[in-house]
Amino acid sequence: MYKVQLDGKSHSSTHSDRVRITIASLVEQPVISKSTDFHLYPQGQLLRLSCAAPKDYQARFFQLYRDGQPVLARTNVRDSAAEFTLVNTSMADAGVYSCNYRATVAGQEYNSSRSEGLLVEIA
């Protein structure tokens, strides 16, 4: 609805139809990567994965997922990126990894969507 003054007279419109607005994500999707280009990781080794948020965001909390489930891993956060380290890898560590982060924008905290999936194979 709007109101306008024209030649000293007030005019207003009828109410418009309601519209639902949904904001899908206020922060950009992170990028996940491996520290090496191996396609197949040997069991018993370290596996390092990085999750990078855009540098413009103050991202302090990162979460790693394997096959959609949260993963506990040593985490080092620095400069809007996290490095996750899995030690003594086993066949159970194989899967599709993704990550997300929490960022503060204009004083409010927002969770990002998850990154694209990254396949990790263990032999």
Side-chain angles (χ1 to χ4, degrees):
M1 183 171 111
Y2 69 88
K3 290 183 181 181
V4 65
Q5 284 288 116
L6 186 63
D7 296 327
K9 292 183 180 180
S10 179
H11 301 275
S12 42
S13 70
T14 59
H15 286 278
S16 65
D17 293 336
R18 291 182 179 253
V19 176
R20 179 180 298 262
I21 298 174
T22 303
I23 299 174
S25 179
L26 290 176
V27 292
E28 294 177 40
Q29 184 180 45
V31 175
I32 191 168
S33 59
K34 298 183 275 190
S35 61
T36 62
D37 289 329
F38 296 140
H39 294 287
L40 197 58
Y41 288 86
Q43 292 185 60
Q45 300 298 310
L46 286 177
L47 172 60
R48 287 192 178 94
L49 301 173
S50 296
C51 182
K55 295 197 183 291
D56 299 343
Y57 300 141
Q58 294 177 347
R60 294 194 181 99
F61 175 80
F62 289 81
Q63 178 65 57
L64 182 66
Y65 299 88
R66 180 181 58 246
D67 299 327
Q69 299 300 312
V71 174
L72 292 176
R74 283 194 301 191
T75 308
N76 182 23
V77 177
R78 193 174 75 209
D79 298 330
S80 296
E83 182 179 78
F84 299 102
T85 303
L86 300 168
V87 295
N88 197 22
T89 56
S90 69
M91 296 298 283
D93 294 312
V96 177
Y97 285 81
S98 61
C99 65
N100 71 346
Y101 64 93
R102 186 177 308 136
T104 303
V105 178
Q108 297 290 320
E109 286 196 348
Y110 299 95
N111 290 321
S112 73
S113 58
R114 289 189 190 164
S115 67
E116 296 291 326
L118 178 69
L119 178 63
V120 173
E121 296 177 290
I122 309 287

